[in-house]
Amino acid sequence: MSGERLIYLPLGGAGEIGMNAYVYGWGAPGEERLILVDLGVAFPDMESTPGVDLILPDITWLKERADRLEAVFVTHAHEDHIGGVAHTHEALGAPVYARAFTANLARRKMAELGLPEDSVRTVSAWPEQVDAGPFKVSFLPISHSIPESAALVIDTPAGRLIHTGDFKLDETPLVGEPFDPELWAEVSAGGVRALICDSTNVFSPLPGRSEQSVGPAIETLVAEATGMVVATTFASNVARLKTLAEAGQRAGRSIVLLGRAMRRMVEAAAETGVLTDFPSVISPEDAQDIPRDNLMLLVTGSQGERRAASAQLARGKYNGLELKEGDLFLFSSKTIPGNEKGVIRIINALSEKGVDVVDDSAGAYHVSGHANRPDLEQMHGIVRPQMLIPMHGEHRHLREHARLAEAGGMQSAVVVNGMMMDLTGNAPAVAEYIETGRTYLDGTVQIGALDGVVRDRIRMALNGHVIVTLILDEEDELLGDPWCETMGLPETGSSRAALIEVLEADLSQFLGRANPKTLRDDDSLEEALRRIVRQTAQGEIGKKPEVTVVISRLS
Amino acid sequence: MSGERLIYLPLGGAGEIGMNAYVYGWGAPGEERLILVDLGVAFPDMESTPGVDLILPDITWLKERADRLEAVFVTHAHEDHIGGVAHTHEALGAPVYARAFTANLARRKMAELGLPEDSVRTVSAWPEQVDAGPFKVSFLPISHSIPESAALVIDTPAGRLIHTGDFKLDETPLVGEPFDPELWAEVSAGGVRALICDSTNVFSPLPGRSEQSVGPAIETLVAEATGMVVATTFASNVARLKTLAEAGQRAGRSIVLLGRAMRRMVEAAAETGVLTDFPSVISPEDAQDIPRDNLMLLVTGSQGERRAASAQLARGKYNGLELKEGDLFLFSSKTIPGNEKGVIRIINALSEKGVDVVDDSAGAYHVSGHANRPDLEQMHGIVRPQMLIPMHGEHRHLREHARLAEAGGMQSAVVVNGMMMDLTGNAPAVAEYIETGRTYLDGTVQIGALDGVVRDRIRMALNGHVIVTLILDEEDELLGDPWCETMGLPETGSSRAALIEVLEADLSQFLGRANPKTLRDDDSLEEALRRIVRQTAQGEIGKKPEVTVVISRLS
């Protein structure tokens, strides 16, 4: 076996929150047989990725080695772990393994893209093992904010690895298996070469709270409400949906689910037997016949998404339902950084309707799905790995987690996307740096983050766009006048004349005096016209727009 | 005096945080003499206002009545209260009154735009009064997070009003006057018709903390630091700057101020005598000769602004100074909603350099400048007004503040921008609804929020832009082929051919079959070509771009 090695290579999720994708390999350098753990997405924003639909990790490296890829394992069904599985399936070709609930959702994704659902294979929890080349992989249950999350126990010729996926230590998660420290100790008893471990909450100093702990506060709030009650949370948090629905039921309210994602999650949970005895729900149509103080709506849009049910309800009638003075709206969620403005917009729109909004600012109505600092220490202590590789987190989280591990006597390293680590020795060692990055799903096309497409969109948004057209005849002489159109620019500037006319006048003046050589050469003509437009605009309106020059030659 | 009335009309700041502008008037309806309190700005973002430089309240109503405007009073020098004073000065014409520190900064703004500095008049604190038509106005000192904040005591024929401006109840503010409850009680003793009162922190349940309270934690942190220390806070929080600088000085460090805004604030505070015994500062050049562990930098950019000093330092060398492993970076500030991503970007960039970042997540290194809920109640109790008008806050804040006031036995109302209230009676009553909104300073031009300029920019950013040009001869026949250019779109789509070529082919096909009538009419031709481009693009790349059609006719 000499000369073979065990490698770990994050392609996404290490150095950021979201977009998880981790490669493991075993074999001679350059010939390793590979598996991929998770293939998630991140979400675009107007500031850096306008118009983009989804952000995926750039898995070019893996695509080029698809013949060496044995399998894809998905730890759980959050979009930042499962969201890219279908989009990349044709390029990778490997089968996808997951537990039943996760597999159910993965199959829906395959079906949406017209891909074969049998590419997704359902695996039972530990001790069932999947053979994947040199690896044997098991799904070890762990609590998180979605049903059937699993860590992966990856047995390799160099020993056992445990990849936690996202997790918390919850012994009363309400839906799905409680965290079982004894099982984890037993799995770890024979020695663990490396624990590759969730880092997102390493800066949270207090032990995490159980999903069960929010129940009483929610029940009291709903019991005391007088008008209609609406609650939003992450659609995938099926346990929370159950808590909310049961609180509604106990208060004599009929439950309505609004939003496609929420109905899909509850459906998948019911189909796979994860969710039992969920209160019966009624349709929005049937809700019309029920007094509003006997209704409770569970709705999507906890992050203020403009098209989700919460935003629609904040704006007006949605599915025949409308909020009124005295109704209650509960955010049973936290706001993910970057989404604050959208959430605040909804809260104020609800305030204008006279709706009372309750959020988690006092910490009563939401708990995190991730392990806090003391929980991480507890996990380190149960597994007692030789190496601790911080996984899933921004640089600051990975760095802090590595420090924590080192303080606990473990070998550790800050490993970010693109760092291929050799885990064969006593400590993690850098084997190679791989080029990684992001690709964008834009409409139906995948584009590279560095293709310039999004850069041009941002520039148009910041600077506006001027289009100059001119026609030159067979003798390279100007036919008529140059013509300008603008988009995203004010109509008039400092001279009080129309911006377009000022631009056209300056362009005409230049063209009237331009030497024939300039007029013959598209590139230099274009450059000169662009320069004039930008200068004139700077003088008129104080900004330099993007310029497209279209030269038509009659020849 | 019968038939005359006292009016209050917010044009900005009521229904939002930022962009404060409040009109008061006295006189017969439609003939009131007016004063304006504050004229602030809000800041643009990529999501709703790409390319915009500043957001100002739409003061069209006031401009049209500029002949009735007696004066502008500025409560303090935060940008959301003072930022629009110079930009609107020519349109309004009225003199601007402020206390010395605020006036100093207002004059700088006038000078930057080439406006006369003597339009700004310095007023001493209460009991000095300014006569402004039917009003007598005094600046009553109140603590806030900037020197010389003042409430306005507005004496009117209908009695006394107090407009708090932004405030907190701080009896040890370190710089400027402590809050003086006895003075406030004395001023209120004769009865106050209405207290128009800051609402931003009404949801904060605990009493606010004094500026002084952060001193010990900052001093300990700086004393224990080993490498270079960098701290950022709001540039205008001169008291905090002093606390930080003194902590540095006590730890034997030389102080460097980085960032124009910070140097300007310290300068203005020193010039006006507000700031005495600030530790001496050295230039970035002189800092080169000092060991890094004897340096402390105070820098702009607490909100993650890309061009501020903190972001520059996170990226690399700035003014010859560079952060290294083991240095300390302190955010002595809170992150304003919407700025989280920028701040996190800096923290991660610093983490990559090995810099230890400390922020206020544990509440030790920053205090708010606004009155929390119990402080508001205390203020209500001191002033005991007949009416309480919640001012400065989003709808949710105003609504909650009005509830609080009503629970305390005061008349109140939720008054948002554009609601002209008659305060002459026993309770606030709506007199009229005025059209208000926002205007954008865009480069050097002021544009209306509804002009469509920014909407077009957002559309180009989301959808990309296609430019179609075609030439028609004297007989309305196509000369050559139609021509497409794209910006912000991928080069190829589902057919694997160049997007531009697919578009041009479909356009040519249409034009080849188009009936002569269509070719003669620019509008219908343009509409048809636009539709084809959008349809074809939808099929090729899954999105419908913005389309500009340029038709040139040789005639």
Side-chain angles (χ1 to χ4, degrees):
Chain A
M1 248 173 34
S2 84
E4 299 190 296
R5 65 182 184 178
L6 176 63
I7 59 168
Y8 164 72
L9 168 62
L11 297 175
E16 66 205 337
I17 293 180
M19 216 178 80
N20 293 272
Y22 307 94
V23 175
Y24 293 89
W26 171 264
E31 293 169 23
E32 295 90 350
R33 301 302 299 178
L34 308 170
I35 60 172
L36 175 66
V37 176
D38 290 339
L39 187 35
V41 295
F43 295 100
D45 60 40
M46 189 65 189
E47 188 162 343
S48 62
T49 46
V52 167
D53 293 282
L54 275 182
I55 303 172
L56 295 111
D58 180 351
I59 56 163
T60 304
W61 185 90
L62 193 60
K63 283 182 188 170
E64 289 169 353
R65 290 157 184 81
D67 58 318
R68 284 159 45 194
L69 181 64
E70 301 281 352
V72 178
F73 296 89
V74 182
T75 58
H76 65 287
H78 277 149
E79 288 297 323
D80 60 334
H81 295 259
I82 199 177
V85 162
H87 294 292
T88 55
H89 180 68
E90 286 187 301
L92 295 179
V96 174
Y97 294 90
R99 297 181 70 195
F101 175 76
T102 311
N104 181 299
L105 289 159
R107 279 188 200 102
R108 290 166 190 251
K109 288 183 180 293
M110 293 290 184
E112 275 170 21
L113 297 188
L115 298 166
E117 295 188 33
D118 64 2
S119 53
V120 180
R121 304 181 190 169
T122 300
V123 185
S124 297
W126 167 275
E128 182 173 332
Q129 284 187 318
V130 176
D131 284 312
F135 301 108
K136 286 182 191 299
V137 181
S138 301
F139 288 80
L140 183 63
I142 183 91
S143 41
H144 186 40
S145 47
I146 190 170
E148 289 197 343
S149 263
L152 299 176
V153 180
I154 306 173
D155 284 335
T156 82
R160 176 162 286 183
L161 307 179
I162 299 182
H163 179 106
T164 65
D166 290 353
F167 75 99
K168 67 187 291 189
L169 304 183
D170 194 338
E171 303 197 8
T172 51
L174 302 187
V175 169
E177 301 96 337
F179 173 62
D180 182 348
E182 285 172 24
L183 175 61
W184 274 72
E186 185 190 313
V187 169
S188 308
V192 172
R193 171 165 286 272
L195 177 66
I196 298 89
C197 187
D198 180 5
S199 308
T200 54
N201 277 15
V202 67
F203 288 109
S204 300
L206 303 174
R209 291 177 296 139
S210 167
E211 182 61 35
Q212 184 179 261
S213 68
V214 298
I218 288 175
E219 189 163 338
T220 304
L221 186 74
V222 176
E224 291 174 356
T226 50
M228 187 153 74
V229 176
V230 185
T232 183
T233 186
F234 302 96
S236 55
N237 193 334
V238 174
R240 185 71 49 78
L241 292 178
K242 194 178 178 197
T243 298
L244 291 164
E246 286 177 350
Q249 192 180 40
R250 283 197 201 105
R253 292 171 181 270
S254 297
I255 309 300
V256 184
L257 298 181
L258 286 184
R260 204 172 68 96
M262 199 163 273
R263 287 195 305 274
R264 191 178 54 201
M265 280 292 166
V266 170
E267 205 177 279
E271 279 176 19
T272 52
V274 164
L275 185 62
T276 51
D277 55 296
F278 191 80
S280 66
V281 302
I282 64 169
S283 71
E285 294 73 41
D286 290 344
Q288 312 290 335
D289 304 327
I290 293 178
R292 52 193 303 104
D293 52 346
N294 287 344
L295 282 176
M296 175 154 174
L297 319 184
L298 303 183
V299 309
T300 52
S302 69
Q303 299 306 304
E305 303 93 328
R306 277 178 192 272
R307 290 182 216 166
S310 65
Q312 307 262 18
L313 283 168
R315 284 196 288 267
K317 205 174 253 197
Y318 182 61
N319 280 341
L321 296 161
E322 191 166 15
L323 284 165
K324 291 197 176 144
E325 171 115 30
D327 289 344
L328 173 73
F329 194 106
L330 169 64
F331 282 87
S332 181
S333 54
K334 73 152 192 175
T335 304
I336 293 169
N339 297 339
E340 289 79 4
K341 284 196 172 181
V343 171
I344 288 173
R345 193 183 303 123
I346 288 177
I347 293 176
N348 282 309
L350 293 170
S351 177
E352 288 178 28
K353 286 179 180 288
V355 173
D356 292 314
V357 178
V358 174
D359 64 20
D360 189 50
S361 52
Y365 304 107
H366 179 66
V367 292
S368 169
H370 292 270
N372 291 351
R373 190 184 187 91
D375 310 321
L376 293 172
E377 292 179 301
Q378 191 181 335
M379 178 58 97
H380 298 172
I382 292 170
V383 177
R384 299 181 175 278
Q386 181 184 338
M387 305 176 209
L388 185 296
I389 312 286
M391 173 264 295
H392 201 193
E394 298 164 7
H395 192 281
R396 58 184 174 135
H397 301 112
L398 304 181
R399 179 164 170 252
E400 186 70 11
H401 197 177
R403 285 181 171 186
L404 188 67
E406 282 164 359
M410 286 159 269
Q411 298 287 339
S412 192
V414 177
V415 183
V416 297
N417 296 339
M419 284 172 69
M420 183 195 287
M421 305 301 290
D422 184 338
L423 305 183
T424 326
N426 290 321
V430 178
E432 205 177 325
Y433 290 92
I434 304 300
E435 209 164 299
T436 57
R438 306 176 149 213
T439 56
Y440 300 145
L441 181 68
D442 186 66
T444 50
V445 179
Q446 284 194 28
I447 56 180
L450 304 176
D451 285 3
V453 172
V454 166
R455 182 201 59 205
D456 282 349
R457 286 184 198 161
I458 292 173
R459 286 185 181 167
M460 287 191 289
L462 293 175
N463 308 323
H465 194 186
V466 174
I467 299 105
V468 179
T469 55
L470 74 169
I471 306 175
L472 296 168
D473 67 13
E474 293 82 349
E475 274 81 48
D476 297 320
E477 286 186 7
L478 193 65
L479 205 62
D481 288 315
W483 182 281
C484 288
E485 303 253 352
T486 63
M487 192 160 189
L489 290 171
E491 288 187 6
T492 54
S494 56
S495 71
R496 316 259 162 180
L499 174 62
I500 286 179
E501 285 171 20
V502 179
L503 291 171
E504 288 174 351
D506 284 3
L507 290 168
S508 290
Q509 194 182 32
F510 166 81
L511 289 164
R513 294 192 298 213
N515 75 51
K517 218 176 102 192
T518 306
L519 293 180
R520 277 198 297 275
D521 177 35
D522 276 7
D523 287 347
S524 60
L525 181 55
E526 196 176 316
E527 189 43 44
L529 297 177
R530 174 174 291 119
R531 209 181 53 240
I532 289 164
V533 168
R534 289 167 63 85
Q535 273 174 3
T536 299
Q538 175 68 34
E540 279 292 301
I541 59 170
K543 61 197 302 169
K544 294 182 171 170
E546 301 305 300
V547 183
T548 296
V549 178
V550 182
I551 301 168
S552 304
R553 292 183 183 275
L554 304 182
S555 56
Chain B
M1 252 177 27
S2 85
E4 299 192 294
R5 64 181 184 178
L6 175 65
I7 59 169
Y8 163 72
L9 168 62
L11 297 175
E16 67 204 337
I17 294 182
M19 214 176 81
N20 292 273
Y22 307 94
V23 176
Y24 292 89
W26 172 265
E31 294 170 24
E32 296 90 351
R33 300 301 298 178
L34 308 170
I35 59 172
L36 175 66
V37 176
D38 291 340
L39 186 35
V41 295
F43 294 99
D45 60 39
M46 188 68 189
E47 190 162 342
S48 61
T49 45
V52 167
D53 292 284
L54 273 183
I55 302 172
L56 294 112
D58 181 349
I59 55 163
T60 304
W61 185 91
L62 193 59
K63 282 182 189 171
E64 289 168 352
R65 290 154 183 83
D67 58 320
R68 284 159 44 196
L69 181 65
E70 301 281 352
V72 178
F73 297 88
V74 182
T75 59
H76 64 287
H78 278 148
E79 289 297 322
D80 59 336
H81 296 259
I82 198 177
V85 163
H87 294 293
T88 55
H89 180 66
E90 286 187 301
L92 296 179
V96 175
Y97 294 90
R99 298 182 69 197
F101 174 76
T102 311
N104 181 299
L105 289 159
R107 282 190 198 102
R108 291 167 191 250
K109 288 183 181 294
M110 294 291 184
E112 275 170 21
L113 297 188
L115 298 165
E117 296 187 33
D118 64 3
S119 53
V120 180
R121 302 180 192 169
T122 302
V123 185
S124 297
W126 168 273
E128 181 172 332
Q129 284 187 320
V130 176
D131 284 313
F135 301 108
K136 286 182 190 301
V137 182
S138 302
F139 288 81
L140 183 63
I142 183 88
S143 42
H144 185 41
S145 46
I146 189 169
E148 288 196 345
S149 264
L152 299 177
V153 181
I154 306 173
D155 283 336
T156 83
R160 178 162 284 184
L161 308 178
I162 299 182
H163 179 106
T164 65
D166 290 354
F167 75 99
K168 66 187 290 189
L169 304 183
D170 194 338
E171 303 196 9
T172 51
L174 301 187
V175 169
E177 300 97 339
F179 173 62
D180 181 349
E182 287 171 23
L183 175 62
W184 274 71
E186 187 189 311
V187 169
S188 307
V192 172
R193 172 166 282 273
L195 177 67
I196 299 90
C197 188
D198 178 7
S199 309
T200 53
N201 278 15
V202 67
F203 288 108
S204 300
L206 303 175
R209 291 177 296 139
S210 167
E211 181 61 34
Q212 185 179 260
S213 70
V214 299
I218 289 175
E219 188 164 339
T220 304
L221 186 74
V222 176
E224 291 174 354
T226 51
M228 188 152 73
V229 175
V230 184
T232 184
T233 187
F234 302 97
S236 55
N237 194 332
V238 174
R240 187 70 50 76
L241 292 179
K242 192 178 177 197
T243 298
L244 291 164
E246 286 176 351
Q249 191 180 41
R250 284 198 200 102
R253 291 171 181 270
S254 298
I255 310 300
V256 184
L257 298 181
L258 286 184
R260 203 172 68 97
M262 198 162 274
R263 286 195 305 273
R264 191 178 51 203
M265 281 292 167
V266 170
E267 206 176 279
E271 278 177 19
T272 52
V274 164
L275 185 63
T276 51
D277 54 297
F278 191 79
S280 66
V281 302
I282 63 170
S283 69
E285 295 70 43
D286 289 344
Q288 312 290 333
D289 304 326
I290 293 177
R292 55 193 301 106
D293 51 347
N294 288 342
L295 282 176
M296 175 155 174
L297 319 185
L298 303 183
V299 309
T300 53
S302 70
Q303 299 306 304
E305 304 92 329
R306 278 176 192 272
R307 291 182 216 165
S310 65
Q312 306 263 18
L313 282 168
R315 284 196 289 265
K317 206 175 254 195
Y318 182 61
N319 280 341
L321 296 161
E322 191 167 14
L323 284 165
K324 292 197 176 143
E325 171 117 31
D327 288 344
L328 173 73
F329 194 106
L330 169 64
F331 281 88
S332 181
S333 54
K334 75 152 190 173
T335 303
I336 294 170
N339 297 338
E340 290 78 4
K341 284 196 172 182
V343 171
I344 288 173
R345 193 183 304 123
I346 288 176
I347 294 177
N348 282 309
L350 292 170
S351 176
E352 288 179 27
K353 287 179 180 290
V355 173
D356 292 314
V357 178
V358 174
D359 63 21
D360 189 49
S361 51
Y365 304 109
H366 180 64
V367 292
S368 170
H370 292 270
N372 291 351
R373 189 182 186 92
D375 311 321
L376 292 172
E377 292 179 300
Q378 192 181 334
M379 178 59 96
H380 299 173
I382 293 170
V383 176
R384 299 180 175 280
Q386 180 183 340
M387 306 177 209
L388 185 294
I389 312 285
M391 174 265 296
H392 201 194
E394 299 164 6
H395 192 281
R396 59 186 173 131
H397 301 112
L398 303 182
R399 179 164 171 253
E400 184 71 10
H401 197 178
R403 286 181 170 187
L404 188 68
E406 282 164 0
M410 285 157 270
Q411 298 287 340
S412 192
V414 176
V415 183
V416 298
N417 296 339
M419 283 171 71
M420 184 197 286
M421 305 300 292
D422 185 337
L423 305 184
T424 326
N426 290 322
V430 177
E432 204 178 324
Y433 290 91
I434 305 301
E435 209 163 298
T436 57
R438 307 179 146 209
T439 54
Y440 300 145
L441 181 69
D442 187 67
T444 51
V445 180
Q446 284 194 28
I447 56 180
L450 304 176
D451 287 0
V453 172
V454 166
R455 181 201 60 205
D456 282 350
R457 285 184 199 161
I458 292 172
R459 287 184 179 168
M460 287 191 290
L462 293 175
N463 308 323
H465 194 187
V466 174
I467 298 105
V468 179
T469 57
L470 74 168
I471 307 175
L472 296 166
D473 66 16
E474 293 82 348
E475 274 81 48
D476 296 319
E477 288 187 5
L478 193 65
L479 203 64
D481 289 314
W483 182 281
C484 288
E485 303 254 351
T486 63
M487 194 160 185
L489 290 171
E491 289 186 6
T492 55
S494 57
S495 71
R496 317 257 162 182
L499 173 62
I500 285 179
E501 285 170 19
V502 179
L503 291 171
E504 288 175 351
D506 285 2
L507 291 169
S508 289
Q509 196 183 29
F510 166 80
L511 288 165
R513 294 193 295 217
N515 75 50
K517 215 175 105 193
T518 306
L519 293 181
R520 277 198 296 274
D521 177 35
D522 275 7
D523 286 348
S524 59
L525 182 55
E526 199 176 313
E527 190 42 47
L529 297 178
R530 175 175 291 118
R531 208 180 53 240
I532 290 164
V533 167
R534 288 167 64 85
Q535 274 175 1
T536 300
Q538 176 68 34
E540 279 291 300
I541 59 170
K543 61 198 299 168
K544 293 182 172 171
E546 300 307 300
V547 183
T548 295
V549 178
V550 183
I551 301 169
S552 304
R553 293 185 183 272
L554 302 182
S555 55

